[in-house]
């Protein structure tokens, strides 16, 4: 049973930083693309950043230059370093991963972690 376990959310003042982590656990043959999404109050879930297995990254325009996504393939873990946080970054952040278990590939989601940025 594959699970994505997130940590690192919390309350921070505007201009501050937080680092989110997401570890994939269970029987894993390979982890392909990983990413972070967020759902702000009253909004649909949106892409924040993604990273491929070879390290290629993509960011939403709203976080470019402030957020950095990275991964540790040996640990099946993806990170999101969030700097210069703004109140509009307040959201539940979800980890996502494309994982192969033997011959089957599936899309997995974490449980979500709350990030609150106060003004």
């Amino acid at each position: 049973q594959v699970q994505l376990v997130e940590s690192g959310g919390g309350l921070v003042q505007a201009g501050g930083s937080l680092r989110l982590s997401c570890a994939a656990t269970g029987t894993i043959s390979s982890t392909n693309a990983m990413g972070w999404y967020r759902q702000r109050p009253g909004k649909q879930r949106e892409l924040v950043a993604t990273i491929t297995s070879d390290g290629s990254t993509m960011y939403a325009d709203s976080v470019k230059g402030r957020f950095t996504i990275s991964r540790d393939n040996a640990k099946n873990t993806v990170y999101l370093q969030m700097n210069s946080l703004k109140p509009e970054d307040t959201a539940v952040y979800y980890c996502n991963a494309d994982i192969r278990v033997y011959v089957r590939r599936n899309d997995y989601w974490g449980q979500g972690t709350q990030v609150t940025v106060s003004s």
Side-chain angles (χ1 to χ4, degrees), residues 10-65:
L11 173 64
V12 65
Q13 287 190 329
S17 298
L18 282 174
R19 189 190 194 212
L20 305 182
S21 299
C22 171
T25 64
T27 302
I28 296 170
S29 299
S30 64
T31 304
N32 304 304
M34 303 183 81
W36 291 94
Y37 291 71
R38 68 185 181 188
Q39 188 161 15
R40 293 184 278 185
K43 303 285 187 179
Q44 289 188 329
R45 191 174 296 189
E46 61 181 357
L47 172 71
V48 176
T50 61
I51 184 167
T52 63
S53 57
D54 63 0
S56 297
T57 60
M58 184 182 72
Y59 296 92
D61 287 343
S62 59
V63 307
K64 280 181 183 175

Side-chain angles (χ1 to χ4, degrees), residues 1 8 16 34 41-43 49 54 61 80 106 115-116 119:
Q1 182 80 9
M34 303 183 81
K43 303 285 187 179
D54 63 0
D61 287 343
L80 186 68
N106 279 311
V115 171
T116 303
S119 56

Side-chain angles (χ1 to χ4, degrees), residues 35-110:
W36 291 94
Y37 291 71
R38 68 185 181 188
Q39 188 161 15
R40 293 184 278 185
K43 303 285 187 179
Q44 289 188 329
R45 191 174 296 189
E46 61 181 357
L47 172 71
V48 176
T50 61
I51 184 167
T52 63
S53 57
D54 63 0
S56 297
T57 60
M58 184 182 72
Y59 296 92
D61 287 343
S62 59
V63 307
K64 280 181 183 175
R66 299 188 298 122
F67 291 10
T68 302
I69 190 170
S70 61
R71 63 189 286 168
D72 183 333
N73 289 333
K75 296 180 179 179
N76 289 315
T77 299
V78 63
Y79 305 96
L80 186 68
Q81 178 67 44
M82 304 185 293
N83 298 328
S84 302
L85 282 161
K86 304 175 181 180
E88 52 263 42
D89 293 318
T90 294
V92 178
Y93 284 72
Y94 296 91
C95 171
N96 172 263
D98 174 9
I99 293 174
R100 184 170 62 85
V101 179
Y102 301 119
V103 298
R104 178 170 290 181
R105 283 176 67 171
N106 279 311
D107 207 36
Y108 293 89
W109 291 90

